[in-house]
Amino acid sequence: MHLTTKTMLEAGKVYKWCTCGQSAKQPLCDGAHRGSGFVPLRFTAEKTETALMCRCKNTSNPPFCDMSHFKVLQGNMFKRAPKCDVPKDKPLVAARLPAYTPLTAGKTYMWCSCGASKNQPFCDNSHASSSMKPLSFTPEKTKPRWLCLCKQTKTPPYCDGTHLDVEIQIATEGKPLE
């Protein structure tokens, strides 16, 4: 079962997020809750976007996924730590989720590959004392894209879903993978 779903939301449109878990239209409500005592969460999309919506119903940010379905794994809780020093040869996991980022065709961007930038997903020269260098890229189309923040993608700077690996989901943000 998928615990998250990418859902296209239209700005200003009202949606109902399923809270009972029985909807066949997950993560949105189809009325399956009737008579169960559950009430769907009504929300209005603030902007047109593809959002990562929660299906496990344990999110602290309903209706959006916060990856809380990974919080307990073999008895280990997530560890959230402050950013550490710039890595020498292994990137820091800047975040366990990608950043949905508007990009402009023909504009050159510098994607942070070390994970230490305070301006994720872009470089702020935090790597200066490291052998790691930012990745320069120029999109061909103007559109938002998911940019990798776990720094483990095989298609940099773009997210390839590697952040869904258990190893990354239990990693401490601001630290390199162990």
Side-chain angles (χ1 to χ4, degrees), residues 67-81 93 95-97 150 162-178:
M67 294 295 175
S68 55
H69 50 273
F70 286 109
K71 282 187 181 165
V72 178
L73 185 65
Q74 297 176 352
N76 295 319
M77 294 297 288
F78 265 156
K79 302 169 222 136
R80 191 181 271 286
V93 175
R96 292 182 298 265
L97 292 174
C150 74
T162 300
H163 67 275
L164 296 173
D165 292 350
V166 171
E167 176 185 37
I168 294 167
Q169 289 303 312
I170 62 172
T172 302
E173 291 181 357
K175 301 276 187 186
L177 283 181
E178 296 183 25

Side-chain angles (χ1 to χ4, degrees), residues 84-104:
C84 71
D85 294 329
V86 179
K88 298 299 179 203
D89 59 357
K90 280 181 82 174
L92 303 178
V93 175
R96 292 182 298 265
L97 292 174
Y100 196 61
T101 309
L103 300 174
T104 304

Side-chain angles (χ1 to χ4, degrees), residues 7 12 18 22 37 42 44 51 60-61 64 74 82 85 93 97-98 106 147 164:
T7 306
C18 172
Q22 300 303 310
R42 294 175 66 93
T44 304
S60 62
N61 186 28
F64 305 104
Q74 297 176 352
D85 294 329
V93 175
L97 292 174
L147 297 184
L164 296 173

Side-chain angles (χ1 to χ4, degrees), residues 22 39 45 52-53 55 59 67 75 77 79 81 85 102 109 111 124 129 131 146 150-151 154 165 177-178:
Q22 300 303 310
V39 177
L52 195 58
M53 307 275 300
R55 290 180 66 165
T59 182
M67 294 295 175
M77 294 297 288
K79 302 169 222 136
D85 294 329
Y109 297 89
W111 177 74
D124 67 0
S129 64
S131 63
W146 291 101
C150 74
K151 308 304 177 184
K154 292 169 187 54
D165 292 350
L177 283 181
E178 296 183 25

